[in-house]
């Protein structure tokens, strides 16, 4: 399912699909002054391409190499012949996604493996007809992850870095302290609106950033107190974050509350199942 949502200067293409027994999965691409930020997932390709023909992009940037952010690179490139940019670390994967993506069955089920596309390395900024956007390498979610900041309107396009003020889950490969460090860096920018791949437009961006930082810092502080009392990491996670949910079981712990807790506290994974209790 595709929804086209018009914000003041930004068009959001919200793409959703439901997996029976697995819940709903959502991502968004954004069009700003001819710049298409991410290209969504394969499952909405026909609707997305049809919608884009009303608003043809002039260039594309991928915030990172995940399947739901590069899924329609190839058909867009074939139709409009426009350049696609990404962080240099992402280029080998985006050009040949089958070499790194789709290895986990649940990601294959939800997103599928995209076709490869020709991608150019990002520099320090992207220039559109009317704006200059700063490219900010953040890592954390993936090593290549970038955000884009437009200073005139104070927009921050955050890819998969934000995802909410009180995020309680993470993937096994994510570095939560690196994400936290990135948000401390981004908090120095005046941000009016965040454009998040999961949530869409987030108003009061500066406060949302500060709230996100504060939540993880308070979580870490509380966990350290329980550690001093000798509590196990799983018991602390259950006390602070609650029991694991369905997606933790479906992904065999690769997406879980335990992963977030362990990464935040600088601990290795509890086991291959991520501590599913």
């Amino acid at each position: 399912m595709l929804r086209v949502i018009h914000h003041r200067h930004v068009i959001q293409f919200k793409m959703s699909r439901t997996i029976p027994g697995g819940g709903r999965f959502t991502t968004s691409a954004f069009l700003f002054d001819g710049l298409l930020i991410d290209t969504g997932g394969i499952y909405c390709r026909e609707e997305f391409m049809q919608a884009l023909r009303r608003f043809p992009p002039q260039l594309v940037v991928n915030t990172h190499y995940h399947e739901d952010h590069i899924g329609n690179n190839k058909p867009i490139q074939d139709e409009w012949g426009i350049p696609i940019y990404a962080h240099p670390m992402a280029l080998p994967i985006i050009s040949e996604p089958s070499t790194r993506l789709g290895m986990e069955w649940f990601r294959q089920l939800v997103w599928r493996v995209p076709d490869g596309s020709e991608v150019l390395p990002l520099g320090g900024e992207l220039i559109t007809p009317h704006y200059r956007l700063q490219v900010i390498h953040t890592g954390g979610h993936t090593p290549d992850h970038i955000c884009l900041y437009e200073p005139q309107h104070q927009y921050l396009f955050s890819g998969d870095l934000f995802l909410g003020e009180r995020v309680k889950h993470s993937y096994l490969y994510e570095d939560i302290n690196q994400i936290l460090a990135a948000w401390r860096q981004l908090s120095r920018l005046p941000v009016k609106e965040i454009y998040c791949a999961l949530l869409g437009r987030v108003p009061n961006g500066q406060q949302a950033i500060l709230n996100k930082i504060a939540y993880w810092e308070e979580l870490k502080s509380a966990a350290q107190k329980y550690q001093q009392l000798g509590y196990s990491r799983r018991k602390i996670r259950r006390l602070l974050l609650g029991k694991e949910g369905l997606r933790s079981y479906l992904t065999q712990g690769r997406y879980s509350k335990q992963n977030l807790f362990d990464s935040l506290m600088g601990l290795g994974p509890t086991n291959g199942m991520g501590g599913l209790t």
Side-chain angles (χ1 to χ4, degrees):
M1 183 180 75
L2 176 75
R3 285 184 61 205
V4 180
I5 304 168
H6 292 262
H7 305 288
R8 187 180 175 195
H9 300 101
V10 178
I11 301 174
Q12 177 187 356
F13 302 90
K14 183 177 180 179
M15 307 174 209
S16 303
R17 74 176 310 197
T18 300
I19 302 295
R24 189 166 185 162
F25 297 82
T26 299
T27 191
S28 288
F30 300 97
L31 186 66
F32 174 71
D33 197 37
L35 170 63
L36 182 63
I37 301 163
D38 290 325
T39 65
I42 293 174
Y43 56 87
C44 280
R45 176 171 291 180
E46 187 174 338
E47 295 172 277
F48 183 45
M49 292 297 291
Q50 186 175 352
L52 276 184
R53 291 182 185 109
R54 296 168 51 206
F55 314 100
Q58 298 176 32
L59 70 162
V60 175
V61 63
N62 297 137
T63 59
H64 59 296
Y65 59 67
H66 277 162
E67 301 94 326
D68 52 326
H69 295 260
I70 68 169
N72 298 301
N73 280 14
K74 184 66 163 56
I76 289 170
Q77 201 163 55
D78 288 346
E79 180 149 343
W80 286 288
I82 57 178
I84 299 175
Y85 294 90
H87 190 276
M89 285 191 288
L91 268 56
I93 300 173
I94 297 175
S95 62
E96 292 288 345
S98 61
T99 61
R100 283 286 300 276
L101 303 179
M103 300 297 122
E104 297 172 314
W105 71 268
F106 61 91
R107 294 192 68 89
Q108 173 79 293
L109 172 67
V110 174
W111 304 120
R112 296 170 51 194
V113 180
D115 304 315
S117 54
E118 297 178 13
V119 195
L120 300 171
L122 269 170
E125 66 178 9
L126 275 171
I127 300 173
T128 69
H130 302 99
Y131 303 99
R132 288 176 179 264
L133 291 89
Q134 299 173 20
V135 177
I136 303 170
H137 180 218
T138 59
H141 177 66
T142 57
D144 64 307
H145 195 287
I146 60 103
C147 294
L148 298 173
Y149 178 68
E150 195 289 297
Q152 183 172 328
H153 298 296
Q154 299 178 356
Y155 293 162
L156 179 69
F157 296 91
S158 64
D160 273 349
L161 198 72
F162 185 70
L163 305 180
E165 295 180 8
R166 298 175 68 85
V167 172
K168 297 182 178 182
H169 299 77
S170 76
Y171 286 99
L172 189 61
Y173 53 76
E174 289 184 281
D175 186 331
I176 299 303
N177 283 296
Q178 188 174 352
I179 295 174
L180 187 55
W183 282 115
R184 291 190 184 113
Q185 175 191 356
L186 292 167
S187 71
R188 302 187 188 106
L189 298 172
V191 177
K192 287 185 177 177
E193 297 177 358
I194 299 171
Y195 286 91
C196 168
L198 177 65
L199 302 177
R201 175 182 171 271
V202 179
N204 304 315
Q206 189 78 31
Q207 189 59 54
I209 292 170
L210 295 175
N211 291 346
K212 184 177 185 71
I213 294 169
Y215 174 67
W216 277 352
E217 287 180 340
E218 291 165 5
L219 183 66
K220 190 169 188 175
S221 178
Q224 287 170 339
K225 292 178 182 178
Y226 283 120
Q227 281 183 323
Q228 292 170 0
L229 294 173
Y231 288 27
S232 72
R233 64 173 75 175
R234 291 189 188 182
K235 184 173 182 179
I236 298 171
R237 183 262 298 162
R238 289 196 296 270
L239 287 169
L240 296 178
L241 298 175
K243 292 183 178 181
E244 297 287 6
L246 178 61
R247 289 192 188 180
S248 298
Y249 288 90
L250 291 176
T251 62
Q252 297 180 309
R254 290 176 176 85
Y255 177 78
S256 71
K257 293 178 179 180
Q258 192 70 52
N259 290 338
L260 186 139
F261 173 82
D262 289 345
S263 181
L264 184 65
M265 302 305 292
L267 303 170
T270 50
N271 56 44
M273 299 294 286
L276 298 181
T277 58

